Amino acid sequence: MAIGTYVDNLPVLSSYKNYYIQLINILKKELPIVNLGEAKWFLSIGITQNENGIKLNQTQEIEETYKKVKDLINNRKWATLLEEKVYYNQDEEQTGKLLDKEYQELYRSLAGSLLYVSEWTQPDLGFATSFVCKKLGKATTRDWKHLGRVVKFMYHTRHKRLKFTRNEDTSLGG
C-alpha cells in the first residue's frame, strides 16, 4: 500500500481492497473523508487500473512541453537521449554562445518539465535530465542542443507507461 499527499488530497494505492477499506475506516475516525472513487488523473498523471496492476503516464504533460519548443529544436528523431560520450569538463563548459535571457528562462522551464516527468513516469530520462540541469544558470547553445534532444526523445516515447503489477514485476512498457 502507498499513500501520497498533496495539500488535502491523499491518493491511496493498494493491492488489496480489504487493506484499503481498513485504512479508510481508521482515517474516518479522525478526519472528514470524501471518497472520490478510482483515480483517473492526479497532478497531470494519467492513471489506468485493472486487476493486474496500475499504469501511470504523462502523455498530456509531455505533449504540452513539446509544443513550447517544437519549432525551436532539431526536427530529427533521436534513438538515444544524449549523444555518445557526452560530458562536461572545465574547458568544455565554456563551449557555445551563452543563451539570451528569454532562452535561459525557457531552458529552465523545460528542464523543470523534464524533472517532473522523469521523477514520476519515465525514470529512464533521469540521467539525461540531470545532465541538462547542470547548466540551469548559464546555458549555452550547446546545452540547448542537448536539452532539445532530450525533449524530442521524451516526446517520441510519450506513450510509455510506468507499470506496477501485482506480481512485483515493474517495468516501462506500452
Side-chain angles (χ1 to χ4, degrees):
M1 179 178 291
I3 304 171
T5 59
Y6 181 74
V7 187
D8 61 351
N9 295 306
L10 298 171
V12 177
L13 305 173
S14 177
S15 298
Y16 302 100
K17 192 169 188 165
N18 58 334
Y19 291 162
Y20 170 79
I21 292 168
Q22 286 177 357
L23 173 68
I24 295 302
N25 288 334
I26 291 168
L27 291 174
K28 279 183 178 178
K29 291 176 184 175
E30 303 294 326
L31 304 165
I33 301 258
V34 176
N35 187 341
L36 299 175
E38 194 172 279
K40 302 286 185 216
W41 288 95
F42 186 72
L43 300 176
S44 82
I45 299 168
I47 304 166
T48 307
Q49 303 175 62
N50 63 33
E51 65 281 348
N52 297 323
I54 298 170
K55 292 181 183 179
L56 306 177
N57 77 80
Q58 287 179 285
T59 305
Q60 186 175 354
E61 175 83 15
I62 292 168
E63 288 174 351
E64 288 174 14
T65 299
Y66 180 71
K67 273 190 230 175
K68 293 178 188 177
V69 292
K70 70 179 182 180
D71 296 331
L72 304 174
I73 58 178
N74 185 322
N75 228 0
R76 185 173 171 198
K77 183 176 178 180
W78 301 105
T80 60
L81 280 161
L82 294 170
E83 61 192 51
E84 189 177 330
K85 296 182 182 179
V86 67
Y87 62 93
Y88 283 124
N89 65 32
Q90 285 184 335
D91 297 332
E92 286 191 320
E93 285 189 26
Q94 304 307 317
T95 335
K97 181 183 164 203
L98 199 62
L99 296 175
D100 64 25
K101 184 179 178 181
E102 179 184 341
Y103 274 87
Q104 291 285 350
E105 289 175 12
L106 184 56
Y107 188 97
R108 286 190 292 275
S109 172
L110 293 170
S113 295
L114 287 173
L115 278 169
Y116 187 58
V117 170
S118 70
E119 285 180 18
W120 284 97
T121 60
Q122 291 196 8
D124 56 330
L125 300 176
F127 175 79
T129 299
S130 173
F131 181 81
V132 299
C133 285
K134 288 180 180 183
K135 300 302 288 281
L136 288 177
K138 51 183 178 187
T140 65
T141 52
R142 178 175 184 258
D143 303 316
W144 179 262
K145 184 179 90 173
H146 293 305
L147 178 77
R149 185 171 175 147
V150 177
V151 169
K152 192 77 167 189
F153 184 90
M154 177 182 70
Y155 177 75
H156 287 290
T157 60
R158 70 189 177 278
H159 297 294
K160 280 188 172 184
R161 306 289 187 256
L162 185 62
K163 181 170 55 174
F164 297 93
T165 60
R166 290 180 69 114
N167 65 4
E168 299 179 14
D169 172 30
T170 58
S171 60
L172 287 175

